[in-house]
Tab-separated table of all heavy atoms in Angstrom:
chain	number	residue	atom	x	y	z
A	1304	MET	N	109.114	114.997	110.567
A	1304	MET	CA	107.874	114.687	111.279
A	1304	MET	C	107.512	113.234	111.122
A	1304	MET	O	106.720	112.683	111.885
A	1304	MET	CB	106.768	115.602	110.772
A	1304	MET	CG	105.486	115.455	111.608
A	1304	MET	SD	104.185	116.543	111.126
A	1304	MET	CE	104.941	118.123	111.321
A	1305	VAL	N	108.072	112.563	110.169
A	1305	VAL	CA	107.774	111.163	109.983
A	1305	VAL	C	108.617	110.351	110.956
A	1305	VAL	O	109.826	110.423	110.951
A	1305	VAL	CB	108.066	110.708	108.543
A	1305	VAL	CG1	107.822	109.216	108.402
A	1305	VAL	CG2	107.198	111.492	107.567
A	1306	SER	N	107.944	109.621	111.802
A	1306	SER	CA	108.680	108.780	112.737
A	1306	SER	C	108.589	107.315	112.320
A	1306	SER	O	107.587	106.890	111.771
A	1306	SER	CB	108.116	108.931	114.135
A	1306	SER	OG	106.758	108.599	114.133
A	1307	THR	N	109.665	106.622	112.525
A	1307	THR	CA	109.705	105.195	112.146
A	1307	THR	C	109.271	104.351	113.299
A	1307	THR	O	109.816	104.443	114.387
A	1307	THR	CB	111.137	104.818	111.703
A	1307	THR	OG1	111.516	105.657	110.644
A	1307	THR	CG2	111.175	103.383	111.281
A	1308	ILE	N	108.292	103.557	113.081
A	1308	ILE	CA	107.773	102.681	114.139
A	1308	ILE	C	107.831	101.240	113.613
A	1308	ILE	O	107.197	100.908	112.645
A	1308	ILE	CB	106.336	103.092	114.488
A	1308	ILE	CG1	106.333	104.498	115.022
A	1308	ILE	CG2	105.747	102.095	115.527
A	1308	ILE	CD1	105.009	105.201	114.879
A	1309	ARG	N	108.601	100.441	114.322
A	1309	ARG	CA	108.803	99.094	113.826
A	1309	ARG	C	107.935	98.049	114.518
A	1309	ARG	O	107.871	96.917	114.118
A	1309	ARG	CB	110.274	98.698	114.001
A	1309	ARG	CG	111.199	99.557	113.170
A	1309	ARG	CD	112.620	99.011	113.220
A	1309	ARG	NE	113.516	99.798	112.395
A	1309	ARG	CZ	114.129	100.886	112.767
A	1309	ARG	NH1	113.959	101.330	113.998
A	1309	ARG	NH2	114.938	101.547	111.950
A	1310	GLU	N	107.323	98.454	115.585
A	1310	GLU	CA	106.508	97.478	116.314
A	1310	GLU	C	105.294	97.108	115.495
A	1310	GLU	O	104.738	97.922	114.754
A	1310	GLU	CB	106.095	98.046	117.661
A	1310	GLU	CG	107.290	98.286	118.566
A	1310	GLU	CD	106.831	98.873	119.883
A	1310	GLU	OE1	105.716	98.561	120.305
A	1310	GLU	OE2	107.603	99.628	120.485
A	1311	ASN	N	104.838	95.917	115.733
A	1311	ASN	CA	103.656	95.442	114.987
A	1311	ASN	C	102.354	95.734	115.725
A	1311	ASN	O	101.317	95.659	115.147
A	1311	ASN	CB	103.782	93.941	114.741
A	1311	ASN	CG	104.839	93.636	113.691
A	1311	ASN	OD1	105.021	94.411	112.763
A	1311	ASN	ND2	105.540	92.559	113.885
A	1312	ARG	N	102.476	95.984	117.007
A	1312	ARG	CA	101.268	96.265	117.744
A	1312	ARG	C	100.658	97.600	117.297
A	1312	ARG	O	101.383	98.561	117.078
A	1312	ARG	CB	101.545	96.313	119.239
A	1312	ARG	CG	101.687	94.950	119.858
A	1312	ARG	CD	101.840	95.079	121.341
A	1312	ARG	NE	102.972	95.925	121.667
A	1312	ARG	CZ	103.218	96.404	122.858
A	1312	ARG	NH1	102.402	96.149	123.840
A	1312	ARG	NH2	104.247	97.146	123.104
A	1313	SER	N	99.377	97.613	117.252
A	1313	SER	CA	98.699	98.838	116.860
A	1313	SER	C	98.661	99.800	118.040
A	1313	SER	O	98.576	99.399	119.191
A	1313	SER	CB	97.271	98.538	116.403
A	1313	SER	OG	97.332	97.705	115.283
A	1314	LYS	N	98.747	101.032	117.703
A	1314	LYS	CA	98.725	102.056	118.737
A	1314	LYS	C	97.732	103.138	118.370
A	1314	LYS	O	97.247	103.234	117.252
A	1314	LYS	CB	100.115	102.759	118.806
A	1314	LYS	CG	101.223	101.817	119.205
A	1314	LYS	CD	102.548	102.621	119.135
A	1314	LYS	CE	103.710	101.702	119.375
A	1314	LYS	NZ	104.981	102.391	119.169
A	1315	PHE	N	97.475	103.930	119.367
A	1315	PHE	CA	96.735	105.147	119.144
A	1315	PHE	C	97.701	106.323	119.331
A	1315	PHE	O	98.617	106.244	120.147
A	1315	PHE	CB	95.591	105.295	120.120
A	1315	PHE	CG	94.450	104.313	119.856
A	1315	PHE	CD1	94.506	103.062	120.408
A	1315	PHE	CD2	93.386	104.705	119.084
A	1315	PHE	CE1	93.471	102.128	120.153
A	1315	PHE	CE2	92.363	103.800	118.838
A	1315	PHE	CZ	92.405	102.523	119.359
A	1316	PHE	N	97.517	107.323	118.554
A	1316	PHE	CA	98.320	108.520	118.716
A	1316	PHE	C	97.428	109.691	119.081
A	1316	PHE	O	96.348	109.867	118.521
A	1316	PHE	CB	99.030	108.870	117.400
A	1316	PHE	CG	100.070	107.854	117.004
A	1316	PHE	CD1	99.927	107.168	115.812
A	1316	PHE	CD2	101.164	107.658	117.799
A	1316	PHE	CE1	100.907	106.228	115.433
A	1316	PHE	CE2	102.163	106.742	117.413
A	1316	PHE	CZ	102.010	106.032	116.258
A	1317	LYS	N	97.923	110.461	120.018
A	1317	LYS	CA	97.297	111.752	120.232
A	1317	LYS	C	98.027	112.757	119.357
A	1317	LYS	O	99.256	112.872	119.430
A	1317	LYS	CB	97.404	112.211	121.728
A	1317	LYS	CG	96.728	113.543	121.976
A	1317	LYS	CD	96.891	113.944	123.432
A	1317	LYS	CE	95.961	113.184	124.342
A	1317	LYS	NZ	96.077	113.716	125.718
A	1318	VAL	N	97.295	113.393	118.495
A	1318	VAL	CA	97.909	114.297	117.558
A	1318	VAL	C	97.302	115.709	117.724
A	1318	VAL	O	96.214	115.887	118.259
A	1318	VAL	CB	97.692	113.854	116.091
A	1318	VAL	CG1	98.315	112.472	115.875
A	1318	VAL	CG2	96.230	113.825	115.731
A	1319	LYS	N	98.050	116.670	117.225
A	1319	LYS	CA	97.591	118.046	117.311
A	1319	LYS	C	97.403	118.593	115.897
A	1319	LYS	O	98.292	118.523	115.061
A	1319	LYS	CB	98.607	118.916	118.088
A	1319	LYS	CG	98.158	120.358	118.207
A	1319	LYS	CD	98.777	121.058	119.364
A	1319	LYS	CE	100.248	121.343	119.163
A	1319	LYS	NZ	100.815	122.134	120.254
A	1320	CYS	N	96.218	119.082	115.647
A	1320	CYS	CA	95.923	119.661	114.340
A	1320	CYS	C	96.830	120.845	114.080
A	1320	CYS	O	96.907	121.759	114.902
A	1320	CYS	CB	94.448	120.047	114.303
A	1320	CYS	SG	94.002	120.896	112.774
A	1321	PRO	N	97.503	120.861	112.963
A	1321	PRO	CA	98.393	121.978	112.625
A	1321	PRO	C	97.659	123.277	112.346
A	1321	PRO	O	98.278	124.370	112.364
A	1321	PRO	CB	99.195	121.503	111.408
A	1321	PRO	CG	98.351	120.445	110.811
A	1321	PRO	CD	97.538	119.819	111.932
A	1322	ASP	N	96.400	123.178	112.082
A	1322	ASP	CA	95.645	124.375	111.735
A	1322	ASP	C	94.995	125.055	112.954
A	1322	ASP	O	94.994	126.238	113.065
A	1322	ASP	CB	94.555	124.057	110.711
A	1322	ASP	CG	95.142	123.898	109.315
A	1322	ASP	OD1	96.340	124.124	109.145
A	1322	ASP	OD2	94.355	123.553	108.398
A	1323	CYS	N	94.443	124.240	113.857
A	1323	CYS	CA	93.683	124.851	114.927
A	1323	CYS	C	94.151	124.386	116.320
A	1323	CYS	O	93.530	124.731	117.310
A	1323	CYS	CB	92.180	124.537	114.758
A	1323	CYS	SG	91.740	122.817	115.064
A	1324	ASP	N	95.189	123.567	116.366
A	1324	ASP	CA	95.768	123.106	117.640
A	1324	ASP	C	94.844	122.203	118.443
A	1324	ASP	O	95.099	121.927	119.594
A	1324	ASP	CB	96.176	124.270	118.528
A	1324	ASP	CG	97.445	124.963	117.952
A	1324	ASP	OD1	98.102	124.356	117.058
A	1324	ASP	OD2	97.759	126.074	118.403
A	1325	ASN	N	93.751	121.753	117.805
A	1325	ASN	CA	92.907	120.768	118.476
A	1325	ASN	C	93.689	119.467	118.667
A	1325	ASN	O	94.377	119.007	117.753
A	1325	ASN	CB	91.677	120.509	117.622
A	1325	ASN	CG	90.882	119.308	118.120
A	1325	ASN	OD1	90.510	119.261	119.303
A	1325	ASN	ND2	90.682	118.357	117.239
A	1326	GLU	N	93.578	118.841	119.808
A	1326	GLU	CA	94.224	117.531	120.021
A	1326	GLU	C	93.142	116.464	120.024
A	1326	GLU	O	92.098	116.601	120.651
A	1326	GLU	CB	94.946	117.527	121.374
A	1326	GLU	CG	96.157	118.426	121.379
A	1326	GLU	CD	96.985	118.327	122.624
A	1326	GLU	OE1	96.583	117.574	123.539
A	1326	GLU	OE2	98.016	118.987	122.710
A	1327	GLN	N	93.421	115.396	119.268
A	1327	GLN	CA	92.506	114.284	119.277
A	1327	GLN	C	93.283	113.002	119.023
A	1327	GLN	O	94.454	113.020	118.634
A	1327	GLN	CB	91.390	114.463	118.237
A	1327	GLN	CG	91.852	114.417	116.787
A	1327	GLN	CD	90.677	114.756	115.863
A	1327	GLN	OE1	90.242	115.880	115.779
A	1327	GLN	NE2	90.166	113.765	115.163
A	1328	THR	N	92.618	111.873	119.269
A	1328	THR	CA	93.271	110.567	119.219
A	1328	THR	C	92.952	109.901	117.892
A	1328	THR	O	91.833	109.926	117.411
A	1328	THR	CB	92.751	109.689	120.361
A	1328	THR	OG1	93.021	110.367	121.616
A	1328	THR	CG2	93.469	108.352	120.364
A	1329	ILE	N	94.035	109.349	117.312
A	1329	ILE	CA	93.867	108.703	116.001
A	1329	ILE	C	94.428	107.263	116.122
A	1329	ILE	O	95.488	107.044	116.714
A	1329	ILE	CB	94.681	109.459	114.923
A	1329	ILE	CG1	93.995	110.791	114.616
A	1329	ILE	CG2	94.831	108.658	113.651
A	1329	ILE	CD1	94.766	111.636	113.611
A	1330	PHE	N	93.725	106.352	115.521
A	1330	PHE	CA	94.207	104.963	115.500
A	1330	PHE	C	95.291	104.842	114.437
A	1330	PHE	O	95.197	105.380	113.331
A	1330	PHE	CB	93.027	104.031	115.144
A	1330	PHE	CG	93.388	102.570	115.169
A	1330	PHE	CD1	94.113	102.022	116.202
A	1330	PHE	CD2	92.997	101.727	114.109
A	1330	PHE	CE1	94.418	100.673	116.224
A	1330	PHE	CE2	93.296	100.355	114.136
A	1330	PHE	CZ	94.019	99.844	115.178
A	1331	GLU	N	96.391	104.148	114.840
A	1331	GLU	CA	97.524	104.035	113.966
A	1331	GLU	C	97.161	103.483	112.583
A	1331	GLU	O	97.732	103.873	111.578
A	1331	GLU	CB	98.576	103.130	114.627
A	1331	GLU	CG	99.783	102.862	113.786
A	1331	GLU	CD	100.708	101.832	114.411
A	1331	GLU	OE1	100.210	100.836	114.947
A	1331	GLU	OE2	101.913	102.089	114.376
A	1332	LYS	N	96.268	102.534	112.575
A	1332	LYS	CA	95.884	101.886	111.293
A	1332	LYS	C	94.482	102.309	110.875
A	1332	LYS	O	93.672	101.472	110.456
A	1332	LYS	CB	95.967	100.367	111.459
A	1332	LYS	CG	97.414	99.908	111.695
A	1332	LYS	CD	97.497	98.413	111.850
A	1332	LYS	CE	98.947	97.963	112.060
A	1332	LYS	NZ	99.036	96.555	112.372
A	1333	ALA	N	94.236	103.548	110.959
A	1333	ALA	CA	92.938	104.069	110.549
A	1333	ALA	C	92.646	103.629	109.108
A	1333	ALA	O	93.521	103.722	108.241
A	1333	ALA	CB	92.912	105.586	110.660
A	1334	SER	N	91.435	103.153	108.881
A	1334	SER	CA	91.092	102.650	107.547
A	1334	SER	C	90.291	103.678	106.758
A	1334	SER	O	89.969	103.456	105.600
A	1334	SER	CB	90.302	101.335	107.665
A	1334	SER	OG	89.150	101.541	108.451
A	1335	THR	N	89.981	104.772	107.373
A	1335	THR	CA	89.297	105.842	106.689
A	1335	THR	C	90.015	107.146	106.973
A	1335	THR	O	90.817	107.246	107.913
A	1335	THR	CB	87.834	105.982	107.145
A	1335	THR	OG1	87.797	106.228	108.567
A	1335	THR	CG2	87.020	104.738	106.843
A	1336	VAL	N	89.774	108.151	106.179
A	1336	VAL	CA	90.385	109.457	106.394
A	1336	VAL	C	89.908	109.994	107.734
A	1336	VAL	O	88.696	109.973	108.036
A	1336	VAL	CB	90.028	110.462	105.275
A	1336	VAL	CG1	90.556	111.839	105.577
A	1336	VAL	CG2	90.590	109.945	103.940
A	1337	VAL	N	90.864	110.444	108.535
A	1337	VAL	CA	90.522	111.004	109.826
A	1337	VAL	C	90.622	112.511	109.724
A	1337	VAL	O	91.675	113.055	109.314
A	1337	VAL	CB	91.455	110.509	110.947
A	1337	VAL	CG1	91.119	111.148	112.281
A	1337	VAL	CG2	91.399	108.998	111.053
A	1338	LYS	N	89.540	113.179	110.063
A	1338	LYS	CA	89.547	114.638	109.974
A	1338	LYS	C	89.493	115.257	111.354
A	1338	LYS	O	88.946	114.678	112.302
A	1338	LYS	CB	88.320	115.109	109.178
A	1338	LYS	CG	88.372	114.719	107.694
A	1338	LYS	CD	87.120	115.233	106.980
A	1338	LYS	CE	87.145	114.815	105.525
A	1338	LYS	NZ	88.225	115.484	104.772
A	1339	CYS	N	90.055	116.443	111.430
A	1339	CYS	CA	89.953	117.204	112.664
A	1339	CYS	C	88.492	117.479	112.983
A	1339	CYS	O	87.750	117.911	112.120
A	1339	CYS	CB	90.716	118.524	112.507
A	1339	CYS	SG	90.536	119.615	113.925
A	1340	VAL	N	88.117	117.186	114.246
A	1340	VAL	CA	86.708	117.362	114.606
A	1340	VAL	C	86.328	118.830	114.688
A	1340	VAL	O	85.185	119.180	114.697
A	1340	VAL	CB	86.377	116.652	115.942
A	1340	VAL	CG1	86.569	115.143	115.782
A	1340	VAL	CG2	87.251	117.201	117.074
A	1341	VAL	N	87.325	119.678	114.770
A	1341	VAL	CA	87.049	121.112	114.922
A	1341	VAL	C	87.017	121.819	113.595
A	1341	VAL	O	86.062	122.496	113.247
A	1341	VAL	CB	88.099	121.770	115.844
A	1341	VAL	CG1	87.913	123.291	115.894
A	1341	VAL	CG2	88.031	121.173	117.238
A	1342	CYS	N	88.066	121.654	112.759
A	1342	CYS	CA	88.154	122.432	111.545
A	1342	CYS	C	88.026	121.597	110.267
A	1342	CYS	O	87.935	122.146	109.175
A	1342	CYS	CB	89.444	123.253	111.530
A	1342	CYS	SG	90.902	122.212	111.230
A	1343	GLY	N	88.032	120.255	110.422
A	1343	GLY	CA	87.818	119.412	109.260
A	1343	GLY	C	89.051	119.131	108.453
A	1343	GLY	O	88.987	118.468	107.399
A	1344	ARG	N	90.200	119.556	108.884
A	1344	ARG	CA	91.444	119.279	108.175
A	1344	ARG	C	91.722	117.789	108.206
A	1344	ARG	O	91.496	117.126	109.241
A	1344	ARG	CB	92.589	120.035	108.823
A	1344	ARG	CG	93.891	119.974	108.045
A	1344	ARG	CD	94.999	120.561	108.928
A	1344	ARG	NE	96.116	121.072	108.107
A	1344	ARG	CZ	97.078	120.293	107.599
A	1344	ARG	NH1	97.054	119.011	107.801
A	1344	ARG	NH2	98.036	120.832	106.886
A	1345	ASP	N	92.284	117.221	107.124
A	1345	ASP	CA	92.688	115.819	107.146
A	1345	ASP	C	93.876	115.640	108.103
A	1345	ASP	O	94.884	116.319	107.979
A	1345	ASP	CB	93.125	115.381	105.750
A	1345	ASP	CG	91.957	115.235	104.814
A	1345	ASP	OD1	90.819	115.449	105.248
A	1345	ASP	OD2	92.200	114.920	103.632
A	1346	LEU	N	93.725	114.738	109.026
A	1346	LEU	CA	94.806	114.458	109.998
A	1346	LEU	C	95.496	113.145	109.683
A	1346	LEU	O	96.689	112.968	110.022
A	1346	LEU	CB	94.265	114.444	111.419
A	1346	LEU	CG	93.645	115.740	111.939
A	1346	LEU	CD1	93.215	115.544	113.393
A	1346	LEU	CD2	94.583	116.903	111.811
A	1347	ALA	N	94.820	112.248	109.040
A	1347	ALA	CA	95.414	110.986	108.698
A	1347	ALA	C	94.658	110.394	107.490
A	1347	ALA	O	93.442	110.503	107.418
A	1347	ALA	CB	95.382	110.000	109.860
A	1348	THR	N	95.421	109.758	106.592
A	1348	THR	CA	94.782	109.110	105.464
A	1348	THR	C	95.217	107.644	105.440
A	1348	THR	O	96.348	107.328	105.816
A	1348	THR	CB	95.183	109.780	104.142
A	1348	THR	OG1	96.603	109.833	104.042
A	1348	THR	CG2	94.636	111.193	104.059
A	1349	PRO	N	94.328	106.750	105.065
A	1349	PRO	CA	94.660	105.328	105.060
A	1349	PRO	C	95.618	104.977	103.974
A	1349	PRO	O	95.594	105.568	102.865
A	1349	PRO	CB	93.312	104.675	104.869
A	1349	PRO	CG	92.485	105.663	104.158
A	1349	PRO	CD	92.963	107.021	104.645
A	1350	THR	N	96.504	104.000	104.222
A	1350	THR	CA	97.452	103.567	103.211
A	1350	THR	C	97.341	102.069	102.971
A	1350	THR	O	98.113	101.515	102.189
A	1350	THR	CB	98.879	103.855	103.678
A	1350	THR	OG1	99.138	103.132	104.863
A	1350	THR	CG2	99.094	105.342	103.907
A	1351	GLY	N	96.432	101.398	103.639
A	1351	GLY	CA	96.326	99.956	103.577
A	1351	GLY	C	97.041	99.299	104.770
A	1351	GLY	O	96.805	98.169	105.075
A	1352	GLY	N	97.898	100.024	105.397
A	1352	GLY	CA	98.565	99.573	106.597
A	1352	GLY	C	98.420	100.649	107.651
A	1352	GLY	O	97.335	101.009	108.061
A	1353	LYS	N	99.543	101.191	108.030
A	1353	LYS	CA	99.522	102.303	108.960
A	1353	LYS	C	99.012	103.546	108.263
A	1353	LYS	O	99.323	103.802	107.104
A	1353	LYS	CB	100.914	102.547	109.526
A	1353	LYS	CG	101.357	101.458	110.451
A	1353	LYS	CD	102.772	101.692	110.915
A	1353	LYS	CE	103.226	100.547	111.798
A	1353	LYS	NZ	104.632	100.664	112.190
A	1354	ALA	N	98.240	104.294	108.976
A	1354	ALA	CA	97.737	105.529	108.407
A	1354	ALA	C	98.871	106.522	108.186
A	1354	ALA	O	99.848	106.522	108.904
A	1354	ALA	CB	96.689	106.151	109.319
A	1355	ASN	N	98.727	107.344	107.161
A	1355	ASN	CA	99.676	108.418	106.896
A	1355	ASN	C	99.250	109.634	107.705
A	1355	ASN	O	98.289	110.303	107.359
A	1355	ASN	CB	99.674	108.710	105.411
A	1355	ASN	CG	100.653	109.800	105.065
A	1355	ASN	OD1	101.642	110.021	105.761
A	1355	ASN	ND2	100.380	110.482	103.966
A	1356	LEU	N	99.990	109.883	108.782
A	1356	LEU	CA	99.616	110.974	109.644
A	1356	LEU	C	100.064	112.301	109.087
A	1356	LEU	O	101.181	112.458	108.619
A	1356	LEU	CB	100.227	110.770	111.053
A	1356	LEU	CG	99.793	109.515	111.808
A	1356	LEU	CD1	100.485	109.424	113.164
A	1356	LEU	CD2	98.267	109.485	111.994
A	1357	LYS	N	99.188	113.241	109.149
A	1357	LYS	CA	99.469	114.591	108.631
A	1357	LYS	C	99.447	115.625	109.728
A	1357	LYS	O	99.370	116.801	109.497
A	1357	LYS	CB	98.447	114.961	107.563
A	1357	LYS	CG	98.487	114.020	106.378
A	1357	LYS	CD	97.506	114.442	105.328
A	1357	LYS	CE	97.659	113.559	104.071
A	1357	LYS	NZ	96.789	114.021	103.008
A	1358	ALA	N	99.471	115.117	110.979
A	1358	ALA	CA	99.429	116.024	112.083
A	1358	ALA	C	100.569	115.679	113.014
A	1358	ALA	O	101.154	114.597	112.952
A	1358	ALA	CB	98.091	115.920	112.822
A	1359	GLU	N	100.882	116.591	113.873
A	1359	GLU	CA	101.972	116.404	114.822
A	1359	GLU	C	101.559	115.438	115.907
A	1359	GLU	O	100.532	115.611	116.525
A	1359	GLU	CB	102.402	117.728	115.440
A	1359	GLU	CG	103.493	117.636	116.462
A	1359	GLU	CD	103.795	118.948	117.129
A	1359	GLU	OE1	103.172	119.948	116.720
A	1359	GLU	OE2	104.632	118.957	118.021
A	1360	ILE	N	102.384	114.409	116.144
A	1360	ILE	CA	102.107	113.465	117.246
A	1360	ILE	C	102.571	114.094	118.537
A	1360	ILE	O	103.723	114.450	118.673
A	1360	ILE	CB	102.827	112.127	116.977
A	1360	ILE	CG1	102.288	111.479	115.717
A	1360	ILE	CG2	102.620	111.204	118.191
A	1360	ILE	CD1	103.101	110.262	115.280
A	1361	VAL	N	101.683	114.203	119.483
A	1361	VAL	CA	102.065	114.767	120.753
A	1361	VAL	C	102.242	113.675	121.834
A	1361	VAL	O	102.898	113.865	122.832
A	1361	VAL	CB	101.056	115.830	121.253
A	1361	VAL	CG1	101.070	117.030	120.331
A	1361	VAL	CG2	99.667	115.252	121.342
A	1362	GLN	N	101.641	112.501	121.576
A	1362	GLN	CA	101.728	111.439	122.543
A	1362	GLN	C	101.391	110.124	121.884
A	1362	GLN	O	100.494	110.068	121.014
A	1362	GLN	CB	100.813	111.697	123.706
A	1362	GLN	CG	100.996	110.727	124.869
A	1362	GLN	CD	100.043	111.044	126.014
A	1362	GLN	OE1	99.255	112.009	125.962
A	1362	GLN	NE2	100.118	110.261	127.076
A	1363	GLU	N	102.071	109.046	122.297
A	1363	GLU	CA	101.687	107.708	121.872
A	1363	GLU	C	100.907	107.049	122.960
A	1363	GLU	O	101.317	107.077	124.134
A	1363	GLU	CB	102.924	106.854	121.552
A	1363	GLU	CG	103.624	107.235	120.263
A	1363	GLU	CD	104.761	106.260	119.931
A	1363	GLU	OE1	104.838	105.214	120.600
A	1363	GLU	OE2	105.538	106.570	119.072
A	1364	LEU	N	99.827	106.459	122.618
A	1364	LEU	CA	98.984	105.775	123.596
A	1364	LEU	C	99.015	104.289	123.293
A	1364	LEU	O	98.818	103.866	122.184
A	1364	LEU	CB	97.554	106.266	123.531
A	1364	LEU	CG	97.383	107.810	123.583
A	1364	LEU	CD1	95.966	108.194	123.287
A	1364	LEU	CD2	97.798	108.336	124.935
A	1365	GLN	N	99.265	103.470	124.311
A	1365	GLN	CA	99.319	102.023	124.071
A	1365	GLN	C	98.386	101.284	124.965
A	1365	GLN	O	97.968	101.775	125.984
A	1365	GLN	CB	100.712	101.499	124.313
A	1365	GLN	CG	101.739	102.185	123.390
A	1365	GLN	CD	103.073	101.487	123.443
A	1365	GLN	OE1	103.112	100.254	123.512
A	1365	GLN	NE2	104.143	102.219	123.405
B	1480	ZN	ZN1	91.790	121.462	113.261
């Protein structure tokens, strides 16, 4: 599930919550924990650079 992204441009990802299938958009370099708006599950955690995504990416938005 971990995809390697070498580009330096920031992106948004549309991700799907593994718990409730809610789809929402996450900034690639999120600086705070991103939670599912429906069930509250952590979808991404900050790492100082790119966020550590914990949800399935369904689409890249540029
Ligand atoms: Zn959810």
Side-chain angles (χ1 to χ4, degrees):
M1304 188 177 300
V1305 176
S1306 58
T1307 302
I1308 298 156
R1309 295 189 178 86
E1310 296 180 30
N1311 289 324
R1312 282 185 303 167
S1313 299
K1314 298 175 186 174
F1315 289 85
F1316 294 117
K1317 182 182 284 185
V1318 300
K1319 181 156 72 175
C1320 175
D1322 283 355
C1323 71
D1324 288 347
N1325 169 56
E1326 292 186 357
Q1327 68 186 71
T1328 303
I1329 289 178
F1330 184 47
E1331 177 186 41
K1332 295 180 179 174
S1334 58
T1335 58
V1336 175
V1337 179
K1338 292 180 182 294
C1339 174
V1340 295
V1341 175
C1342 72
R1344 189 189 204 279
D1345 287 358
L1346 298 182
T1348 54
T1350 62
K1353 291 177 181 175
N1355 181 26
L1356 298 179
K1357 299 182 175 184
E1359 179 184 356
I1360 298 171
V1361 295
Q1362 187 179 359
E1363 286 186 12
L1364 309 171
Q1365 299 191 39

